[in-house]
């Protein structure tokens, strides 16, 4: 074997360059068009993207915004969530899910997750609602997270939310494009949000996000909140406290190009995940997607209970296989969030999962030889 053949190229955890090559010059043209138009803020691509996202996901209204965190915050602001209110959210998620609750002065109440889907446990949600009431808080919203792209347990959670008069906000930062019973997750909640952070299933070339809603009144409110609470008919009249939360026109242009290949990419993700599952199920607990769901596979996450995870990751690193841990610490154990209540007596599943999970390279342009190399390395690292 020649030296060149022996030197293996580095494997990207998520290969955005491969996607760029697949989209080709159309992307550069779309970006340059915005540059030459000078319409950097709220150019025509922004409204075009909002229409395209509605059509893609079957949602009546979409408001694009600056990032997925603002998207969550805008939804809570539109509902007037404030001090004394409780917002129930999973602890095994990215900080933004709970951060926005604190932004508006409300209290996040952390709920446990299921160990099969990593998503909010409906039984723990019921306990969390009781905990909130016992603390004198008013439960107002439940934020579900479709972790790693898999739709949460909506068949159980929607009736609980309805029974307790809670609004459902779907944090679809990792799951735009995912479906349950054929319905897009962003169409399931009273509102939903997503993120277009570059590494997300549908990502732009910077920060971006969107809020999805069902009625024009809510859209009006979100539009006003997105631009400093201005009156939608008189931009010099500020009628509420808002934010500067617009999506850049260039990012809208990027997303319009990426939407063209998104369905195809989501298909490719299914095939790669199935191949990983087949090849790894005897050495680790592989992700299982519940019935009648399509995941966007934002991450491919393995569980290795009872194993020395640090040693496994060190072996993979030595073999030049990048890995990541989502999430090494549940939110209720983090400095900024430790002060907030948890459902019942604690969240044992979230705590256990944080010690057991790790993610391996995953993206829709992962070719078969690279998949093989990753599979071989993961198997070797787990059977050493
Ligand atoms: C579950 C979840 N919610 C919210 C966000 C926030 O999105 P953004 O980074 O676009 O603000 C993220 C981003 O990583 C996320 O994973």
């Amino acid at each position: 074997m020649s030296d060149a053949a022996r030197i293996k190229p580095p494997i990207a955890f998520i290969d955005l360059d491969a996607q760029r090559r697949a989209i080709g010059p159309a992307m550069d043209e779309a970006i340059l068009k915005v540059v030459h138009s000078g319409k950097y803020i709220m150019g025509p691509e922004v409204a075009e993207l909002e229409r395209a996202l509605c059509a893609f996901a079957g949602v009546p209204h979409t408001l694009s915004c600056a990032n997925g965190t603002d998207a969550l915050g805008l939804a809570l602001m539109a509902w007037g969530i404030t001090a004394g209110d409780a917002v129930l959210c999973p602890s095994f998620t990215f900080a933004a899910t709970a951060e926005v609750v604190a932004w508006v002065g409300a209290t996040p109440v952390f709920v446990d997750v299921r160990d099969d889907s990593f998503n909010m446990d409906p039984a723990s949600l019921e306990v969390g609602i009781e905990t909130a009431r016992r603390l004198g808080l008013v439960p107002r919203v439940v934020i579900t997270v479709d972790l790693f792209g898999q739709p949460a347990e909506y068949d159980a959670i929607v009736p609980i939310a309805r029974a307790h008069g809670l609004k459902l906000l779907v944090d679809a930062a990792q799951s735009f494009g995912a479906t349950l019973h054929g319905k897009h997750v962003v169409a399931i909640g009273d509102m939903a949000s997503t993120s277009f952070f570059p590494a997300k299933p549908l990502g732009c070339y910077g920060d971006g996000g969107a809020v999805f809603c069902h009625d024009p009144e809510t859209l009006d409110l979100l539009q006003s909140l997105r631009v400093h609470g201005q009156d939608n008919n008189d931009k010099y009249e500020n009628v509420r406290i808002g934010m500067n939360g617009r999506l850049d026109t260039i990012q809208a242009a990027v997303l319009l190009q990426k939407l063209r290949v998104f369905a195809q990419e989501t298909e490719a993700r299914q095939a790669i995940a199935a191949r990983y599952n087949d090849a790894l199920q005897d050495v680790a607990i592989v992700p299982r997607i519940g019935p009648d769901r399509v995941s966007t596979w934002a991450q491919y996450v393995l569980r290795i209970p009872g194993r020395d995870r640090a040693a496994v990751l060190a072996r993979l690193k030595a073999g030049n296989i990048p890995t990541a841990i989502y999430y090494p610490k549940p939110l209720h154990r983090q400095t900024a969030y430790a002060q907030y209540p948890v459902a019942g007596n604690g969240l044992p599943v979230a705590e256990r999962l944080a010690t057991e999970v790790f993610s391996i390279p995953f993206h829709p342009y992962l070719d078969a030889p690279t998949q093989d190399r990753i599979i071989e390395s993961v198997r070797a690292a787990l059977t050493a």
Side-chain angles (χ1 to χ4, degrees):
M1 200 199 290
S2 72
D3 277 356
R6 254 195 303 271
I7 298 167
K8 292 180 176 164
I11 291 177
F13 190 68
I14 293 178
D15 192 348
L16 295 175
D17 264 2
Q19 187 194 46
R20 238 185 101 64
R21 289 192 295 274
I23 293 173
M27 178 63 91
D28 298 1
E29 280 165 27
I31 294 172
L32 268 179
K33 187 173 165 225
V34 179
V35 172
H36 292 306
S37 78
K39 294 183 179 143
Y40 308 129
I41 301 291
M42 298 308 274
E45 286 83 354
V46 173
E48 191 185 337
L49 174 71
E50 289 170 343
R51 285 192 297 273
L53 292 171
C54 285
F56 184 88
V59 195
H61 304 287
T62 299
L63 177 107
S64 62
C65 64
N67 55 67
T69 310
D70 282 1
L72 287 162
L74 284 163
L76 295 185
M77 288 164 81
W79 283 329
I81 304 306
T82 188
D85 293 339
V87 176
L88 294 114
C89 57
S91 179
F92 196 54
T93 178
F94 183 65
T97 311
E99 186 179 33
V100 294
V101 180
W103 274 7
V104 295
T107 304
V109 176
F110 290 112
V111 171
D112 212 354
V113 292
R114 293 170 54 118
D115 69 0
D116 52 358
S117 64
F118 309 136
N119 280 330
M120 180 180 274
D121 179 353
S124 179
L125 171 62
E126 300 253 31
V127 175
I129 294 168
E130 276 166 38
T131 303
R133 292 210 173 104
R134 194 163 26 81
L135 293 169
L137 299 165
V138 182
R140 295 277 312 274
V141 178
V142 52
I143 306 182
T144 48
V145 177
D146 306 318
L147 205 67
F148 311 137
Q150 160 146 237
E153 327 298 324
Y154 293 107
D155 290 342
I157 289 172
V158 170
I160 296 171
R162 295 286 170 265
H164 292 275
L166 306 183
K167 298 276 193 201
L168 172 60
L169 174 55
V170 171
D171 179 350
Q174 304 180 11
S175 63
F176 182 78
T179 60
L180 172 65
H181 310 309
K183 189 172 183 174
H184 277 264
V185 287
V186 293
I188 290 175
D190 295 293
M191 276 199 247
S193 61
T194 197
S195 164
F196 301 127
F197 183 80
K200 297 294 191 230
L202 179 64
C204 55
Y205 288 170
D207 276 311
V211 194
F212 305 87
C213 68
H214 299 275
D215 59 89
E217 294 76 24
T218 306
L219 181 69
D220 275 357
L221 202 48
L222 291 168
Q223 267 164 351
S224 165
L225 288 164
R226 177 174 64 179
V227 191
H228 306 291
Q230 74 183 23
D231 186 307
N232 289 333
N233 300 314
D234 176 1
K235 70 177 189 168
Y236 296 107
E237 184 67 29
N238 297 87
V239 289
R240 54 181 65 81
I241 302 297
M243 60 163 77
N244 174 3
R246 293 170 294 228
L247 179 73
D248 291 345
T249 312
I250 285 183
Q251 302 305 344
V254 168
L255 288 163
L256 280 165
Q257 292 306 313
K258 291 215 191 182
L259 250 189
R260 290 172 36 224
V261 295
F262 184 59
Q264 199 179 306
E265 289 182 348
T266 306
E267 280 289 318
R269 287 174 186 267
Q270 310 311 315
I272 298 165
R275 189 140 186 268
Y276 270 0
N277 274 11
D278 276 353
L280 298 172
Q281 60 190 340
D282 60 328
V283 292
I285 300 178
V286 296
R288 293 287 176 204
I289 303 305
D292 215 7
R293 279 153 216 241
V294 175
S295 172
T296 49
W297 296 98
Q299 295 292 334
Y300 183 88
V301 180
L302 293 166
R303 268 178 73 204
I304 48 169
R307 303 291 303 269
D308 181 348
R309 180 174 63 181
V312 170
L313 297 195
R315 276 180 226 124
L316 285 167
K317 189 170 181 201
N320 287 320
I321 306 292
T323 57
I325 297 175
Y326 300 110
Y327 295 94
K329 226 187 212 190
L331 288 186
H332 70 284
R333 290 288 181 203
Q334 298 200 16
T335 310
Y337 297 95
Q339 57 176 308
Y340 294 114
V342 299
N345 296 323
L347 311 180
V349 180
E351 290 187 15
R352 185 157 43 78
L353 288 178
T355 67
E356 295 177 351
V357 293
F358 70 99
S359 308
I360 59 175
F362 193 93
H363 59 84
Y365 298 94
L366 208 49
D367 58 33
T370 313
Q371 291 169 35
D372 289 341
R373 195 177 135 200
I374 294 164
I375 289 167
E376 203 180 293
S377 304
V378 172
R379 290 190 64 83
L382 285 168
T383 49

PDB file of all heavy atoms in Angstrom, residues 56-81:
ATOM      1  N   PHE A  56     -43.701  23.875   2.900  1.00  0.00           N
ATOM      2  CA  PHE A  56     -42.973  22.629   3.156  1.00  0.00           C
ATOM      3  C   PHE A  56     -43.568  21.870   4.333  1.00  0.00           C
ATOM      4  O   PHE A  56     -43.759  20.661   4.280  1.00  0.00           O
ATOM      5  CB  PHE A  56     -41.489  22.933   3.431  1.00  0.00           C
ATOM      6  CG  PHE A  56     -40.657  21.702   3.607  1.00  0.00           C
ATOM      7  CD1 PHE A  56     -40.071  21.082   2.512  1.00  0.00           C
ATOM      8  CD2 PHE A  56     -40.478  21.125   4.860  1.00  0.00           C
ATOM      9  CE1 PHE A  56     -39.322  19.926   2.666  1.00  0.00           C
ATOM     10  CE2 PHE A  56     -39.739  19.970   5.026  1.00  0.00           C
ATOM     11  CZ  PHE A  56     -39.154  19.371   3.919  1.00  0.00           C
ATOM     12  N   ALA A  57     -43.874  22.612   5.413  1.00  0.00           N
ATOM     13  CA  ALA A  57     -44.271  21.942   6.659  1.00  0.00           C
ATOM     14  C   ALA A  57     -45.791  21.926   6.871  1.00  0.00           C
ATOM     15  O   ALA A  57     -46.264  21.365   7.861  1.00  0.00           O
ATOM     16  CB  ALA A  57     -43.577  22.622   7.843  1.00  0.00           C
ATOM     17  N   GLY A  58     -46.545  22.541   5.975  1.00  0.00           N
ATOM     18  CA  GLY A  58     -47.994  22.535   6.142  1.00  0.00           C
ATOM     19  C   GLY A  58     -48.435  23.327   7.363  1.00  0.00           C
ATOM     20  O   GLY A  58     -49.325  22.900   8.114  1.00  0.00           O
ATOM     21  N   VAL A  59     -47.793  24.470   7.595  1.00  0.00           N
ATOM     22  CA  VAL A  59     -48.173  25.346   8.720  1.00  0.00           C
ATOM     23  C   VAL A  59     -48.712  26.646   8.130  1.00  0.00           C
ATOM     24  O   VAL A  59     -48.151  27.165   7.168  1.00  0.00           O
ATOM     25  CB  VAL A  59     -46.948  25.711   9.599  1.00  0.00           C
ATOM     26  CG1 VAL A  59     -47.386  26.287  10.935  1.00  0.00           C
ATOM     27  CG2 VAL A  59     -46.064  24.526   9.813  1.00  0.00           C
ATOM     28  N   PRO A  60     -49.777  27.209   8.710  1.00  0.00           N
ATOM     29  CA  PRO A  60     -50.345  28.425   8.117  1.00  0.00           C
ATOM     30  C   PRO A  60     -49.416  29.636   8.144  1.00  0.00           C
ATOM     31  O   PRO A  60     -49.409  30.419   7.207  1.00  0.00           O
ATOM     32  CB  PRO A  60     -51.602  28.694   8.949  1.00  0.00           C
ATOM     33  CG  PRO A  60     -51.831  27.488   9.780  1.00  0.00           C
ATOM     34  CD  PRO A  60     -50.583  26.671   9.805  1.00  0.00           C
ATOM     35  N   HIS A  61     -48.647  29.823   9.232  1.00  0.00           N
ATOM     36  CA  HIS A  61     -47.840  31.045   9.344  1.00  0.00           C
ATOM     37  C   HIS A  61     -46.440  30.749   9.879  1.00  0.00           C
ATOM     38  O   HIS A  61     -46.297  29.991  10.848  1.00  0.00           O
ATOM     39  CB  HIS A  61     -48.509  32.051  10.287  1.00  0.00           C
ATOM     40  CG  HIS A  61     -49.901  32.394   9.872  1.00  0.00           C
ATOM     41  ND1 HIS A  61     -50.186  33.192   8.792  1.00  0.00           N
ATOM     42  CD2 HIS A  61     -51.095  31.995  10.388  1.00  0.00           C
ATOM     43  CE1 HIS A  61     -51.491  33.291   8.657  1.00  0.00           C
ATOM     44  NE2 HIS A  61     -52.070  32.575   9.610  1.00  0.00           N
ATOM     45  N   THR A  62     -45.467  31.383   9.236  1.00  0.00           N
ATOM     46  CA  THR A  62     -44.073  31.263   9.696  1.00  0.00           C
ATOM     47  C   THR A  62     -43.488  32.659   9.832  1.00  0.00           C
ATOM     48  O   THR A  62     -43.666  33.497   8.941  1.00  0.00           O
ATOM     49  CB  THR A  62     -43.224  30.488   8.658  1.00  0.00           C
ATOM     50  OG1 THR A  62     -43.764  29.179   8.504  1.00  0.00           O
ATOM     51  CG2 THR A  62     -41.774  30.361   9.106  1.00  0.00           C
ATOM     52  N   LEU A  63     -42.796  32.887  10.929  1.00  0.00           N
ATOM     53  CA  LEU A  63     -42.064  34.138  11.115  1.00  0.00           C
ATOM     54  C   LEU A  63     -40.589  33.773  11.244  1.00  0.00           C
ATOM     55  O   LEU A  63     -40.210  33.063  12.174  1.00  0.00           O
ATOM     56  CB  LEU A  63     -42.531  34.833  12.402  1.00  0.00           C
ATOM     57  CG  LEU A  63     -41.769  36.114  12.708  1.00  0.00           C
ATOM     58  CD1 LEU A  63     -42.667  37.329  12.441  1.00  0.00           C
ATOM     59  CD2 LEU A  63     -41.260  36.153  14.145  1.00  0.00           C
ATOM     60  N   SER A  64     -39.771  34.222  10.296  1.00  0.00           N
ATOM     61  CA  SER A  64     -38.334  33.946  10.411  1.00  0.00           C
ATOM     62  C   SER A  64     -37.755  34.897  11.459  1.00  0.00           C
ATOM     63  O   SER A  64     -38.309  35.977  11.713  1.00  0.00           O
ATOM     64  CB  SER A  64     -37.656  34.158   9.067  1.00  0.00           C
ATOM     65  OG  SER A  64     -37.809  35.506   8.666  1.00  0.00           O
ATOM     66  N   CYS A  65     -36.658  34.480  12.068  1.00  0.00           N
ATOM     67  CA  CYS A  65     -36.033  35.347  13.074  1.00  0.00           C
ATOM     68  C   CYS A  65     -34.551  35.031  13.186  1.00  0.00           C
ATOM     69  O   CYS A  65     -34.032  34.207  12.437  1.00  0.00           O
ATOM     70  CB  CYS A  65     -36.759  35.222  14.419  1.00  0.00           C
ATOM     71  SG  CYS A  65     -36.668  33.596  15.149  1.00  0.00           S
ATOM     72  N   ALA A  66     -33.893  35.702  14.117  1.00  0.00           N
ATOM     73  CA  ALA A  66     -32.431  35.714  14.136  1.00  0.00           C
ATOM     74  C   ALA A  66     -31.779  34.409  14.573  1.00  0.00           C
ATOM     75  O   ALA A  66     -30.643  34.122  14.202  1.00  0.00           O
ATOM     76  CB  ALA A  66     -31.951  36.848  15.042  1.00  0.00           C
ATOM     77  N   ASN A  67     -32.452  33.610  15.351  1.00  0.00           N
ATOM     78  CA  ASN A  67     -31.893  32.326  15.819  1.00  0.00           C
ATOM     79  C   ASN A  67     -32.984  31.536  16.542  1.00  0.00           C
ATOM     80  O   ASN A  67     -34.078  32.071  16.788  1.00  0.00           O
ATOM     81  CB  ASN A  67     -30.675  32.550  16.745  1.00  0.00           C
ATOM     82  CG  ASN A  67     -31.005  33.452  17.913  1.00  0.00           C
ATOM     83  OD1 ASN A  67     -31.786  33.081  18.784  1.00  0.00           O
ATOM     84  ND2 ASN A  67     -30.455  34.649  17.925  1.00  0.00           N
ATOM     85  N   GLY A  68     -32.669  30.307  16.887  1.00  0.00           N
ATOM     86  CA  GLY A  68     -33.663  29.435  17.516  1.00  0.00           C
ATOM     87  C   GLY A  68     -33.987  29.830  18.941  1.00  0.00           C
ATOM     88  O   GLY A  68     -35.064  29.488  19.451  1.00  0.00           O
ATOM     89  N   THR A  69     -33.066  30.528  19.589  1.00  0.00           N
ATOM     90  CA  THR A  69     -33.324  30.979  20.958  1.00  0.00           C
ATOM     91  C   THR A  69     -34.345  32.117  20.940  1.00  0.00           C
ATOM     92  O   THR A  69     -35.326  32.107  21.698  1.00  0.00           O
ATOM     93  CB  THR A  69     -32.006  31.438  21.628  1.00  0.00           C
ATOM     94  OG1 THR A  69     -31.018  30.423  21.443  1.00  0.00           O
ATOM     95  CG2 THR A  69     -32.196  31.705  23.100  1.00  0.00           C
ATOM     96  N   ASP A  70     -34.118  33.086  20.054  1.00  0.00           N
ATOM     97  CA  ASP A  70     -35.094  34.177  19.917  1.00  0.00           C
ATOM     98  C   ASP A  70     -36.467  33.622  19.535  1.00  0.00           C
ATOM     99  O   ASP A  70     -37.504  34.140  19.974  1.00  0.00           O
ATOM    100  CB  ASP A  70     -34.657  35.171  18.826  1.00  0.00           C
ATOM    101  CG  ASP A  70     -33.565  36.128  19.308  1.00  0.00           C
ATOM    102  OD1 ASP A  70     -33.136  36.009  20.475  1.00  0.00           O
ATOM    103  OD2 ASP A  70     -33.147  36.987  18.514  1.00  0.00           O
ATOM    104  N   ALA A  71     -36.470  32.587  18.696  1.00  0.00           N
ATOM    105  CA  ALA A  71     -37.747  32.001  18.256  1.00  0.00           C
ATOM    106  C   ALA A  71     -38.547  31.519  19.466  1.00  0.00           C
ATOM    107  O   ALA A  71     -39.752  31.793  19.592  1.00  0.00           O
ATOM    108  CB  ALA A  71     -37.494  30.855  17.281  1.00  0.00           C
ATOM    109  N   LEU A  72     -37.863  30.822  20.381  1.00  0.00           N
ATOM    110  CA  LEU A  72     -38.536  30.354  21.602  1.00  0.00           C
ATOM    111  C   LEU A  72     -38.986  31.547  22.448  1.00  0.00           C
ATOM    112  O   LEU A  72     -40.115  31.579  22.961  1.00  0.00           O
ATOM    113  CB  LEU A  72     -37.571  29.501  22.436  1.00  0.00           C
ATOM    114  CG  LEU A  72     -37.230  28.100  21.929  1.00  0.00           C
ATOM    115  CD1 LEU A  72     -35.963  27.580  22.608  1.00  0.00           C
ATOM    116  CD2 LEU A  72     -38.387  27.144  22.181  1.00  0.00           C
ATOM    117  N   GLY A  73     -38.103  32.529  22.575  1.00  0.00           N
ATOM    118  CA  GLY A  73     -38.413  33.708  23.390  1.00  0.00           C
ATOM    119  C   GLY A  73     -39.596  34.483  22.826  1.00  0.00           C
ATOM    120  O   GLY A  73     -40.467  34.943  23.580  1.00  0.00           O
ATOM    121  N   LEU A  74     -39.631  34.638  21.506  1.00  0.00           N
ATOM    122  CA  LEU A  74     -40.740  35.365  20.876  1.00  0.00           C
ATOM    123  C   LEU A  74     -42.075  34.696  21.189  1.00  0.00           C
ATOM    124  O   LEU A  74     -43.079  35.376  21.459  1.00  0.00           O
ATOM    125  CB  LEU A  74     -40.526  35.429  19.355  1.00  0.00           C
ATOM    126  CG  LEU A  74     -39.481  36.445  18.872  1.00  0.00           C
ATOM    127  CD1 LEU A  74     -39.051  36.145  17.435  1.00  0.00           C
ATOM    128  CD2 LEU A  74     -40.043  37.861  18.978  1.00  0.00           C
ATOM    129  N   ALA A  75     -42.092  33.360  21.144  1.00  0.00           N
ATOM    130  CA  ALA A  75     -43.344  32.641  21.425  1.00  0.00           C
ATOM    131  C   ALA A  75     -43.805  32.917  22.860  1.00  0.00           C
ATOM    132  O   ALA A  75     -44.980  33.221  23.107  1.00  0.00           O
ATOM    133  CB  ALA A  75     -43.158  31.143  21.184  1.00  0.00           C
ATOM    134  N   LEU A  76     -42.865  32.844  23.804  1.00  0.00           N
ATOM    135  CA  LEU A  76     -43.244  33.087  25.212  1.00  0.00           C
ATOM    136  C   LEU A  76     -43.683  34.537  25.412  1.00  0.00           C
ATOM    137  O   LEU A  76     -44.632  34.820  26.152  1.00  0.00           O
ATOM    138  CB  LEU A  76     -42.081  32.752  26.154  1.00  0.00           C
ATOM    139  CG  LEU A  76     -41.648  31.285  26.208  1.00  0.00           C
ATOM    140  CD1 LEU A  76     -40.572  31.098  27.280  1.00  0.00           C
ATOM    141  CD2 LEU A  76     -42.819  30.336  26.485  1.00  0.00           C
ATOM    142  N   MET A  77     -43.015  35.461  24.734  1.00  0.00           N
ATOM    143  CA  MET A  77     -43.399  36.882  24.842  1.00  0.00           C
ATOM    144  C   MET A  77     -44.793  37.095  24.255  1.00  0.00           C
ATOM    145  O   MET A  77     -45.608  37.839  24.816  1.00  0.00           O
ATOM    146  CB  MET A  77     -42.376  37.768  24.124  1.00  0.00           C
ATOM    147  CG  MET A  77     -41.054  37.869  24.860  1.00  0.00           C
ATOM    148  SD  MET A  77     -39.723  38.528  23.816  1.00  0.00           S
ATOM    149  CE  MET A  77     -40.047  40.279  23.921  1.00  0.00           C
ATOM    150  N   ALA A  78     -45.074  36.439  23.129  1.00  0.00           N
ATOM    151  CA  ALA A  78     -46.390  36.611  22.488  1.00  0.00           C
ATOM    152  C   ALA A  78     -47.508  36.115  23.409  1.00  0.00           C
ATOM    153  O   ALA A  78     -48.614  36.666  23.402  1.00  0.00           O
ATOM    154  CB  ALA A  78     -46.421  35.867  21.158  1.00  0.00           C
ATOM    155  N   TRP A  79     -47.220  35.095  24.193  1.00  0.00           N
ATOM    156  CA  TRP A  79     -48.242  34.584  25.120  1.00  0.00           C
ATOM    157  C   TRP A  79     -48.268  35.363  26.435  1.00  0.00           C
ATOM    158  O   TRP A  79     -49.051  35.038  27.337  1.00  0.00           O
ATOM    159  CB  TRP A  79     -47.995  33.097  25.412  1.00  0.00           C
ATOM    160  CG  TRP A  79     -48.431  32.180  24.297  1.00  0.00           C
ATOM    161  CD1 TRP A  79     -49.451  32.379  23.421  1.00  0.00           C
ATOM    162  CD2 TRP A  79     -47.852  30.905  23.953  1.00  0.00           C
ATOM    163  NE1 TRP A  79     -49.546  31.316  22.546  1.00  0.00           N
ATOM    164  CE2 TRP A  79     -48.590  30.400  22.858  1.00  0.00           C
ATOM    165  CE3 TRP A  79     -46.803  30.136  24.467  1.00  0.00           C
ATOM    166  CZ2 TRP A  79     -48.306  29.171  22.254  1.00  0.00           C
ATOM    167  CZ3 TRP A  79     -46.510  28.917  23.881  1.00  0.00           C
ATOM    168  CH2 TRP A  79     -47.258  28.444  22.783  1.00  0.00           C
ATOM    169  N   GLY A  80     -47.357  36.303  26.603  1.00  0.00           N
ATOM    170  CA  GLY A  80     -47.327  37.099  27.833  1.00  0.00           C
ATOM    171  C   GLY A  80     -46.905  36.298  29.056  1.00  0.00           C
ATOM    172  O   GLY A  80     -47.347  36.584  30.175  1.00  0.00           O
ATOM    173  N   ILE A  81     -46.035  35.329  28.850  1.00  0.00           N
ATOM    174  CA  ILE A  81     -45.556  34.519  29.987  1.00  0.00           C
ATOM    175  C   ILE A  81     -44.655  35.402  30.853  1.00  0.00           C
ATOM    176  O   ILE A  81     -43.802  36.134  30.337  1.00  0.00           O
ATOM    177  CB  ILE A  81     -44.793  33.262  29.472  1.00  0.00           C
ATOM    178  CG1 ILE A  81     -45.679  32.448  28.527  1.00  0.00           C
ATOM    179  CG2 ILE A  81     -44.279  32.409  30.648  1.00  0.00           C
ATOM    180  CD1 ILE A  81     -47.030  32.047  29.073  1.00  0.00           C
TER     181      ILE A  81
END
